[in-house]
């Protein structure tokens, strides 16, 4: 039986809407091609970026419809996995051209990718803990105000 504790329904819908808008903006209008610092290599990373955004949309919608802490944790793990795959692909391809701009841009972008990867790992560990707690029936601690 699915537990009916709050899984942040409005946050899930908000996240799904943002992901849908990003998916639309990157692929349809105005499209990634309008950004002058992106190279044709972006086409090589777009599939994983799209998969990550779609996973986020699906997780957000499903978790609003089926309110289960365990399902939310599994969904977030899947979305984090797609996100990590996208980060790794962007690192490998590095579809950016900062010629003529500030020379520190490539280093800054790499640092941001590392921060994203570290955040994904931390998020995955937290979701694994949430999954174990949900499956064991351990209620989350009430938040102190």
């Amino acid at each position: 039986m699915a537990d009916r504790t709050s899984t942040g329904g409005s946050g899930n819908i908000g996240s799904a809407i943002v992901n849908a808008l990003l998916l639309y903006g990157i692929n349809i209008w105005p499209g990634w091609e309008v950004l002058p610092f992106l190279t044709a290599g972006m086409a090589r990373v777009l599939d994983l970026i799209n998969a990550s955004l779609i996973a986020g949309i699906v997780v957000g919608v499903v978790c609003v419809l089926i309110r289960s802490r365990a399902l939310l944790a599994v969904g977030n793990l899947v979305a984090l996995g797609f996100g990590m795959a996208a980060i790794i692909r962007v690192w490998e391809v590095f579809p950016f051209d900062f010629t003529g701009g500030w020379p520190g841009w490539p280093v800054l972008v790499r640092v941001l990718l590392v921060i994203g990867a570290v955040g994904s790992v931390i998020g995955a560990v937290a979701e694994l803990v949430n999954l174990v707690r949900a499956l064991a029936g351990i209620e989350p601690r009430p938040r102190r105000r």
Side-chain angles (χ1 to χ4, degrees):
M1 181 169 127
D3 65 63
R4 297 289 175 186
T5 58
S6 173
T7 58
S10 62
N12 288 327
I13 284 296
S15 177
I17 290 170
V18 168
N19 284 341
L21 290 172
L22 286 170
L23 194 62
Y24 180 82
I26 291 169
N27 293 285
I28 298 172
W29 185 85
W32 65 266
E33 297 92 348
V34 302
L35 297 174
F37 57 86
L38 291 177
T39 68
M42 183 65 176
R44 293 177 45 208
V45 301
L46 198 55
D47 57 345
L48 282 173
I49 291 171
N50 287 340
S52 176
L53 293 169
I54 292 167
I57 293 167
V58 170
V59 169
V61 171
V62 167
C63 288
V64 166
L65 298 174
I66 304 169
R67 299 176 69 88
S68 163
R69 288 181 20 231
L71 179 63
L72 177 62
V74 169
N76 285 339
L77 282 167
V78 169
L80 284 164
F82 278 110
M84 181 61 98
I87 289 170
I88 291 168
R89 176 82 57 88
V90 169
W91 179 277
E92 293 170 347
V93 174
F94 205 72
F96 306 102
D97 179 11
F98 300 111
T99 305
W102 177 54
W105 279 118
V107 173
L108 179 61
V109 170
R110 295 253 187 216
V111 167
L112 292 173
L113 288 170
V114 168
I115 290 170
V118 169
S120 293
V121 170
I122 292 169
V125 170
E127 291 303 336
L128 282 171
V129 169
N130 287 337
L131 177 61
V132 169
R133 290 175 60 93
L135 293 175
I138 300 170
E139 292 297 320
R141 293 183 196 167
R143 293 185 181 179
R144 295 180 188 215
R145 294 183 189 237

